[in-house]
Amino acid sequence: MIVSQKRFRDTLQRIENPELSRLISDSVAFNSNLREGQNIPWKEFERLLDDFGSKPFDSETIIFEARSVDELRELLASQSAGRIIPTRESVRLERIVLKNFGAYQDEETLELSPRGEQNVTVVAAGNGVGKSTLFDAINWALFGEDFLQEMLSSKRKDRLGLVNYRAIDELKEKRIPEVESSAVLWFQVESERYYVRRRFSTTLLSSGELSSSLVTTSLYRVDPGGNHEPLDEDRLPALLSSLPKNVKEFYLFDGEHINRFASPGSQEAVMSAIRRILGVRLLERAQENSAELAKRFRSAFNRAAPKDAKELAEEEEAKRDLIKHREGEKDRLGKAVVELQGMIRQLEEKLRTAPDTSELQKRRDLLRQQAAAIQERRVESGGLLRKSMAGAFTTIAASAVSEFRAGLGSLKEKGEIPGQISEQLITELLEHGQCICGRHISEEGDVRERLLKELDRAQRMAPLRSSLLDIHARLGSVRALADSKCREAQRGYQGYLEETENLADVNSALEGISLELEDVEEIDRQAWERERAQKQHDLSTAMANVRSLEQQLKQDAAELKELERRLAEVAEKTRVAAELRRKAAWAEAASDALKAIVHEFATLARLDVERRTAALWHRLLPNTRQYEVEVTDGFELSVDSPTGAAGLSQLSMGQQHCLGLAFITSVAQASETLPPLVIDMPFGRLDSEVAATVATEMPSLTNQLVLFVLEGTEWNEQTRRALEPALARVARLRVDPATKNTHIRIQE
Amino acid sequence: MSIKVERASVHCESSDHELYKSLVSGGARNPLEVPFESMLEAFVAFACLGYHHSQYIPLNRSQEMTLSSYVDQDLDLFVLAALAYARLRTEDPDRSIEDTVTVLTTTKTIIPLVEGWANGGVQVYRESIANGALYPTLNLYEMLREAQVELAG
């Protein structure tokens, strides 16, 4: 892991929740195994949370806050300045072995490992002899195809361009069947020895053209007994975790370019360097992944969380209430059934044991009915009497009727009624002009005048006389009508009397029965029987209701069971959802804590790099003390001149070179990994005095230093003297004039 | 048409009006308690009773009790005419029969002549029921029976 172990541990200790602290630590470790751009294997990442997801999580236990910059400065000051904290994962380069690679045909070996305190290997040669080939070979061995393609692209070569030209000649001359080019790098990680071999073959095609195979890579571990154990080549990046590809240029760099870190406009590179080398980026990725994981768990929670739990619970509660109510009703009805059965038994017992007065009661009822009927007939008789009463009274006016009729009869006998005879007679007399006695009736005589008057009177009285005649006739039937009315009245009266007598008889009989009934207790069996029938009806109804309730309760029980099953499902979903929720909470907490850690960690690292860079730069170039070095919050490397102006642009190339060197070594020191520094042309831009100073300081900057220097210019008496105390060996590259191949000659 | 039934008021003594009302049911009440179905029936019965007992008492303070239009035209109308005839003949025995009967062809002349008989009958009834304890209907029928017995005797 590239993060500063100590700082990281210090930070984690401030998280009071030990589980969360462990989760963050595991999360960072997990992310450290991921290569840049590699997709997150979520299942693996989620597994990290499985240990925590099932535990209760109290968010209140996360009390971690990034400290202020001032506090961080104090924290930094409290640490021993410049103290190198060895890491367990540092890489040590042992040797590189080349064959048929560039200028090297025969197997050439360059030892690199420190010898005790002497940790510097110098490779000195003139231009074009093979320093850069060695430098490239080390990079190829470490970073494989990615580096190779990048390097070939920058140098506009193909892979064949790497093959030793003399070996090619031999291939073309068919003295050998193929040429195998290889670079083998031996290295140590935590005292374990490994080597990685990269190789490819070149053959001559029948067409006369050359063809190279794909590069094969082999990784071996060498145990203390000297046995070589093949390993999966995929393990190499993990072994070289302190030298990931994306930071190689900070440790294995071309000295010609060292100053670019200290050049104006290099902020992005500086920021990137610090973030990647110091592990800030790793922490950021851990934070981002934790946040993403929390989001995924929240999403899973939303999918898994049951929506209808409350409704189901309410439904279940309502169902239980209903069942309770129905059971209560059933109990009540059950009691009512028992009570009714008891009452029916009592009634039946009473009916069984009571004296039977039913016959008497029947007779009494019959007599009462008879009495009512008689009374009704008596009233009818009274009605008949009343209807004919007035008519019957007319019988006692019979004499008046007779006299009246007699009077009218006398008039009739005299012909005065209807009176038509006298009228006819007078008319005839007047027509004949002669009376019945023979007397002539003169036209103007008194007789005629009297007859005319009489005729006029008779004609006027004719209607009245007609009426009187009719009255006379009608009076003849009055008596008969009156008698008829009288008979009706008599029938009514007689009927009344008879029915009155009958009523008296019936009432007498009723009185006798009543007296008989008074002798026994008044028992209304019919009422009892009616009551028993009513009770039996009630009993049937109650029992039917009980059966109905039992049926409903049975159905309720089935529905309740179904509800319980659904609730169990919901509970299971709830449990799963709760677990997801807890995992989300853990991931969120880890994300939040990591965010704070990232901030603090980055700030601490930035300040550390800033402090170390300034100290080293000023030590290498005392005349730069007037400049203040700052790595800003935005990870920008800046140099302020005494006048306060931005100073980067005012620096000389040498100053920039030293600043870059100081920065790189400071980053290495701040990262606490202390990887080997492999620098091509470290003093190329420095004057001899400065180069000597740098050479003096450099061995103490890291545990292993490999310098590729230009014979004479860089590698001279001054630099040799400066490096001598730390010098493990000097390798000189010599060209065989005959073969033009380069050979490595070691001076130890 | 023999006797014209014209719209004419039938009067009673105002003090007897309540009695008339108590004896007329309208058909609903117990027939033993109310002996007549209409005021005019009661009027006819009392007129006959007054005639039988020769009690003709002219009205002192008359009160209209009904209208003659409701009279039974088969029996009661002619009995009333006969009673009117009897009154006229009693009042003026010398009056010719022809003159007497000519005024008896309408209820307008008949009814006023009979009111005195009915008033007399009411008084007879009042005296009779003073000791009666039976139903009014039975009392009246008993009075009718007595009258018939008298006539038969």
Side-chain angles (χ1 to χ4, degrees):
Chain A
M1 189 158 63
I2 299 182
V3 296
S4 163
Q5 296 278 2
K6 184 173 183 305
R7 280 189 198 130
F8 189 61
R9 281 197 303 273
D10 288 347
T11 307
L12 287 180
Q13 281 171 4
R14 293 210 301 281
I15 299 174
E16 291 196 354
N17 186 325
E19 300 292 348
L20 178 61
S21 178
R22 210 184 103 210
L23 170 61
I24 293 165
S25 176
D26 289 351
S27 178
V28 171
F30 175 85
N31 279 276
S32 70
N33 289 327
L34 297 174
R35 296 171 66 187
E36 192 81 29
Q38 182 180 352
N39 287 333
I40 304 295
W42 291 110
K43 288 291 176 193
E44 295 296 320
F45 201 16
E46 287 176 12
R47 201 167 295 140
L48 278 178
L49 291 169
D50 282 348
D51 289 343
F52 308 101
S54 58
K55 296 172 185 174
F57 178 74
D58 180 3
S59 60
E60 294 301 318
T61 59
I62 308 170
I63 46 171
F64 176 79
E65 290 181 4
R67 299 185 173 200
S68 68
V69 173
D70 289 339
E71 283 177 318
L72 290 172
R73 285 183 196 281
E74 286 175 20
L75 183 66
L76 191 62
S78 68
Q79 296 178 350
S80 55
R83 183 167 60 93
I84 295 172
I85 303 165
T87 67
R88 295 167 59 210
E89 298 177 0
S90 59
V91 176
R92 294 292 171 267
L93 304 179
E94 277 193 12
R95 71 175 74 91
I96 179 81
V97 180
L98 301 183
K99 187 176 180 185
N100 292 324
F101 191 84
Y104 305 92
Q105 182 179 20
D106 300 329
E107 192 171 89
E108 295 287 338
T109 300
L110 172 63
E111 290 292 338
L112 301 168
S113 55
R115 300 174 62 177
E117 294 297 315
Q118 296 168 315
N119 61 349
V120 179
T121 296
V122 170
V123 180
N127 285 325
V129 176
K131 296 193 302 298
S132 294
T133 300
L134 275 172
F135 181 78
D136 290 343
I138 294 171
N139 273 296
W140 181 40
L142 287 172
F143 305 114
E145 191 67 15
D146 289 344
F147 167 80
L148 192 61
Q149 293 303 322
E150 190 181 322
M151 184 268 287
L152 292 175
S153 174
S154 67
K155 293 185 178 179
R156 297 184 179 178
K157 287 183 179 179
D158 58 16
R159 197 181 305 151
L160 289 172
L162 297 176
V163 183
N164 178 262
Y165 66 93
R166 187 168 176 80
I168 294 289
D169 288 345
E170 289 174 359
L171 183 64
K172 285 180 177 175
E173 291 166 5
K174 300 185 179 173
R175 285 186 283 163
I176 52 175
E178 64 174 9
V179 177
E180 183 182 86
S181 303
S182 63
V184 181
L185 180 70
W186 292 67
F187 59 95
Q188 287 182 27
V189 178
E190 299 184 23
S191 305
E192 292 273 2
R193 296 185 69 210
Y194 301 87
Y195 64 89
V196 59
R197 173 187 291 134
R198 311 271 187 188
R199 61 185 173 183
F200 64 91
S201 297
T202 304
T203 53
L204 185 65
L205 300 175
S206 56
S207 61
E209 292 180 350
L210 294 171
S211 170
S212 63
S213 66
L214 293 176
V215 174
T216 60
T217 302
S218 306
L219 176 66
Y220 293 90
R221 183 174 67 192
V222 182
D223 66 20
N227 299 312
H228 294 212
E229 178 193 1
L231 302 176
D232 190 333
E233 65 173 296
D234 290 342
R235 289 190 58 186
L236 185 61
L239 288 172
L240 300 173
S241 60
S242 63
L243 294 172
K245 170 183 162 289
N246 56 9
V247 299
K248 69 177 177 55
E249 59 192 5
F250 293 98
Y251 304 128
L252 293 87
F253 54 85
D254 182 350
E256 287 294 311
H257 301 134
I258 197 167
N259 64 316
R260 68 189 174 100
F261 299 112
S263 300
S266 67
Q267 288 84 350
E268 186 61 33
V270 172
M271 182 179 72
S272 176
I274 292 178
R275 294 171 76 85
R276 284 187 293 182
I277 294 168
L278 300 182
V280 173
R281 179 64 196 138
L282 171 62
L283 292 177
E284 285 175 345
R285 282 174 59 195
Q287 186 271 322
E288 289 162 5
N289 289 340
S290 293
E292 178 63 22
L293 188 63
K295 185 179 173 185
R296 288 166 65 93
F297 276 124
R298 282 197 303 274
S299 177
F301 166 79
N302 288 337
R303 287 194 302 274
K307 303 286 189 297
D308 54 352
K310 187 168 180 290
E311 282 179 21
L312 268 180
E314 286 174 352
E315 195 177 339
E316 186 205 22
E317 193 62 27
K319 181 60 74 181
R320 287 189 188 283
D321 287 347
L322 181 63
I323 288 173
K324 190 178 174 186
H325 169 74
R326 282 184 173 153
E327 283 175 342
E329 185 68 9
K330 186 186 157 197
D331 287 348
R332 189 188 66 74
L333 281 173
K335 287 174 185 169
V337 164
V338 171
E339 195 176 340
L340 282 168
Q341 286 170 335
M343 291 165 78
I344 289 167
R345 277 197 301 274
Q346 284 179 1
L347 281 167
E348 284 175 344
E349 183 66 13
K350 280 168 73 177
L351 283 165
R352 192 177 62 77
T353 57
D356 190 353
T357 58
S358 59
E359 282 304 318
L360 276 176
Q361 288 171 359
K362 274 184 191 171
R363 278 185 58 205
R364 183 179 62 183
D365 293 344
L366 187 62
L367 286 170
R368 281 174 177 165
Q369 288 173 9
Q370 286 177 353
I374 290 168
Q375 180 64 24
E376 195 175 331
R377 289 200 297 275
R378 200 166 71 134
V379 171
E380 283 175 7
S381 297
L384 183 61
L385 176 58
R386 179 171 68 182
K387 191 175 180 184
S388 54
M389 181 69 84
F393 261 90
T394 60
T395 56
I396 60 176
S399 60
V401 172
S402 295
E403 283 179 26
F404 186 31
R405 189 162 188 269
L408 289 172
S410 65
L411 292 175
K412 185 182 176 189
E413 284 174 6
K414 286 192 285 185
E416 292 183 4
I417 56 171
Q420 285 93 339
I421 295 172
S422 58
E423 186 182 335
Q424 189 179 354
L425 180 63
I426 292 167
T427 303
E428 285 177 358
L429 288 175
L430 288 171
E431 283 176 355
H432 287 93
Q434 186 178 5
C435 181
I436 54 178
C437 62
R439 185 180 176 185
H440 178 71
I441 301 169
S442 65
E443 287 294 325
E444 294 179 359
D446 292 338
V447 174
R448 184 175 190 88
E449 189 176 345
R450 283 204 308 271
L451 284 173
L452 285 171
K453 284 183 181 175
E454 197 63 31
L455 180 60
D456 179 59
R457 179 173 163 271
Q459 285 175 338
R460 278 190 288 110
M461 290 292 285
L464 174 65
R465 291 177 192 278
S466 177
S467 292
L468 291 173
L469 184 64
D470 185 64
I471 291 167
H472 176 262
R474 298 288 296 272
L475 284 171
S477 60
V478 163
R479 181 59 186 259
L481 284 171
D483 288 345
S484 172
K485 289 288 181 184
C486 189
R487 284 193 296 276
E488 274 184 28
Q490 190 173 5
R491 277 205 309 278
Y493 183 67
Q494 284 299 327
Y496 168 76
L497 291 180
E498 285 170 14
E499 297 301 347
T500 301
E501 195 174 337
N502 291 338
L503 187 60
D505 292 344
V506 168
N507 283 337
S508 173
L510 271 171
E511 193 175 347
I513 289 172
S514 297
L515 287 172
E516 278 186 66
L517 285 171
E518 279 177 8
D519 292 339
V520 295
E521 186 184 355
E522 183 70 26
I523 296 171
D524 192 346
R525 289 182 68 90
Q526 286 181 342
W528 287 354
E529 281 167 357
R530 282 197 302 274
E531 187 180 355
R532 180 179 62 179
Q534 182 63 46
K535 298 293 182 199
Q536 278 174 336
H537 176 264
D538 293 346
L539 178 64
S540 299
T541 304
M543 289 177 77
N545 286 339
V546 167
R547 283 194 295 275
S548 172
L549 277 170
E550 283 173 346
Q551 193 64 28
Q552 285 173 335
L553 281 166
K554 198 174 173 184
Q555 191 176 341
D556 288 340
E559 288 173 4
L560 185 62
K561 197 172 179 182
E562 172 62 14
L563 277 170
E564 285 171 346
R565 188 190 64 74
R566 288 169 63 192
L567 273 167
E569 279 182 5
V570 169
E572 176 59 19
K573 285 182 183 174
T574 305
R575 190 190 65 74
V576 171
E579 190 173 329
L580 288 167
R581 189 66 211 166
R582 279 196 295 273
K583 285 184 177 182
W586 277 108
E588 282 165 6
S591 170
D592 291 345
L594 273 167
K595 196 179 287 181
I597 289 173
V598 165
H599 176 73
E600 174 172 337
F601 196 85
T603 306
L604 273 174
R606 176 174 62 80
L607 295 172
D608 196 14
V609 169
E610 177 187 282
R611 181 179 58 78
R612 289 173 189 274
T613 301
L616 181 57
W617 190 41
H618 295 156
R619 200 158 68 240
L620 293 174
L621 293 175
N623 63 354
T624 61
R625 291 180 190 276
Q626 57 184 320
Y627 295 100
E628 285 188 9
V629 176
E630 185 183 6
V631 178
T632 65
D633 287 344
F635 295 95
E636 295 175 6
L637 180 61
S638 70
V639 174
D640 293 333
S641 69
T643 59
L648 272 179
S649 58
Q650 297 178 4
L651 297 179
S652 66
M653 290 295 281
Q655 287 173 322
Q656 287 182 12
H657 187 99
C658 286
L659 181 60
L661 187 61
F663 169 66
I664 286 170
T665 53
S666 294
V667 168
Q669 288 179 334
S671 74
E672 300 173 2
T673 58
L674 293 180
L677 282 178
V678 183
I679 309 174
D680 192 12
M681 295 185 70
F683 314 123
R685 294 180 178 276
L686 304 178
D687 61 33
S688 57
E689 189 178 348
V690 174
T693 306
V694 170
T696 304
E697 292 288 340
M698 282 183 79
S700 65
L701 299 181
T702 185
N703 288 340
Q704 185 175 23
L705 186 62
V706 180
L707 301 174
F708 293 87
V709 295
L710 192 62
E711 187 87 56
T713 308
E714 289 183 281
W715 184 243
N716 50 38
E717 187 59 25
Q718 287 175 302
T719 52
R720 191 189 63 77
R721 272 208 303 273
L723 285 169
E724 193 161 20
L727 204 56
R729 66 188 61 79
V730 176
R732 293 183 185 277
L733 305 183
R734 293 292 178 252
V735 179
D736 183 342
T739 62
K740 304 297 183 186
N741 286 331
T742 298
H743 301 284
I744 301 171
R745 298 286 180 264
I746 303 296
Q747 289 183 342
E748 296 181 350
Chain B
M1 189 62 194
S2 54
I3 299 173
K4 278 199 266 184
V5 179
E6 295 181 295
R7 186 181 177 87
S9 294
V10 181
H11 296 87
C12 66
E13 198 67 51
S14 62
S15 57
D16 293 333
H17 192 249
E18 284 303 314
L19 175 68
Y20 270 100
K21 286 203 294 185
S22 70
L23 297 176
V24 174
S25 70
R29 289 166 63 191
N30 185 347
L32 298 175
E33 294 174 356
V34 281
F36 301 107
E37 291 184 345
S38 70
M39 296 291 259
L40 207 55
E41 278 189 4
F43 180 78
V44 169
F46 283 127
C48 293
L49 191 61
Y51 170 76
H52 174 75
H53 289 279
S54 303
Q55 292 291 315
Y56 189 93
I57 304 172
L59 296 175
N60 185 23
R61 291 182 61 185
S62 65
Q63 179 176 347
E64 184 185 273
M65 52 187 281
T66 185
L67 294 172
S68 61
S69 316
Y70 305 124
V71 72
D72 169 48
Q73 295 179 33
D74 290 326
L75 176 59
D76 295 352
L77 178 62
F78 293 98
V79 171
L80 290 174
L83 292 173
Y85 177 81
R87 175 58 189 162
L88 288 174
R89 294 294 291 171
T90 304
E91 271 184 345
D92 184 4
D94 296 331
R95 189 175 182 177
S96 71
I97 291 174
E98 187 179 3
D99 288 344
T100 303
V101 297
T102 53
V103 302
L104 299 177
T105 55
T106 171
T107 53
K108 279 196 172 182
T109 53
I110 291 170
I111 293 297
L113 290 168
V114 180
E115 284 171 350
W117 291 127
N119 192 24
V122 168
Q123 303 316 314
V124 171
Y125 174 74
R126 280 190 184 281
E127 288 169 12
S128 174
I129 64 167
N131 301 317
L134 291 174
Y135 290 118
T137 303
L138 298 180
N139 276 337
L140 270 169
Y141 189 72
E142 286 300 324
M143 291 176 74
L144 172 62
R145 294 272 295 171
E146 286 172 10
Q148 286 174 334
V149 168
E150 284 174 16
L151 288 172

